[in-house]
Amino acid sequence: MKKLTLLAFLGLSTVAISQNIKSEPDNGKQKTALLAPADQAGLDAKKKAAEEKAKLPKPYDPKADAQADINRLVAQAKKEGKNIMIQAGGNWCIWCLRFNNFVQTTPELKEIVDKNYLYYHLNYSPDNKNEKVFAQYDNPGEKFGYPVFIVLDQNGKMIKVQQSDVFEEGKGYSKEKVKDFFNTWMPKG
């Protein structure tokens, strides 16, 4: 019985001492483990995305009066016989910046857009959520995420809302899918 009591005492003492050691601050005395490979890969991916984001043009203006801008575009669209392509998102969104850059640097897509659309980047960010403007279009960002596309006809009537993930291909976008989208929603006639 004494041996059993002694073993129990030693076992509980070991647990108590180890608990005490863990709760004391190490003040840098203990070596810390290196990041696990998965953690490192995640950090590397975030760093690469941040570097990419820093290089891409920032087309969204949080200070813009979006409603006034869209009203001007509707007046211009009537005169020019074009539709309005609203790309909603923000400079914080890597996929928004990638899409903008993809369209601007792909001559075939840029030509279709320039010929058929007035293009507008509707900002959504903590600085300016443009809640009243988004409400007019049934808040598509809440449903689909960003970027999201809102196509208006030349009279300013919403004719299509399109989520962007259907255009994605790898870390970018499919030229054929984006081209089909732009061709489908260009002005008729």
Side-chain angles (χ1 to χ4, degrees), residues 19-84:
Q19 292 296 321
N20 191 32
I21 288 171
K22 288 180 184 175
S23 66
E24 292 177 12
D26 75 357
N27 297 324
K29 293 175 190 164
Q30 293 180 347
K31 299 211 185 254
T32 54
L34 295 175
L35 290 173
D39 292 342
Q40 188 61 48
L43 287 175
D44 289 346
K46 285 182 181 178
K47 182 179 176 189
K48 261 182 112 170
E51 289 170 356
E52 178 187 0
K53 195 186 294 187
K55 293 177 186 175
L56 292 171
K58 309 294 184 287
Y60 296 91
D61 181 3
K63 295 179 181 153
D65 181 342
Q67 189 61 63
D69 290 347
I70 292 169
N71 292 345
R72 279 192 292 277
L73 288 175
V74 170
Q76 183 180 347
K78 284 179 186 177
K79 290 178 191 171
E80 296 179 18
K82 294 182 177 183
N83 283 348
I84 299 165

Side-chain angles (χ1 to χ4, degrees), residues 9 19 32-33 55 74 80-81 90 101 111 118 124 127 139-140 154 157 159 164 168 186:
F9 175 76
Q19 292 296 321
T32 54
K55 293 177 186 175
V74 170
E80 296 179 18
N101 192 60
E111 182 180 336
L118 299 177
Y124 178 84
D127 296 333
N139 296 306
Q154 51 199 293
K157 179 182 175 221
I159 56 174
S164 64
E168 291 176 14
M186 68 173 58

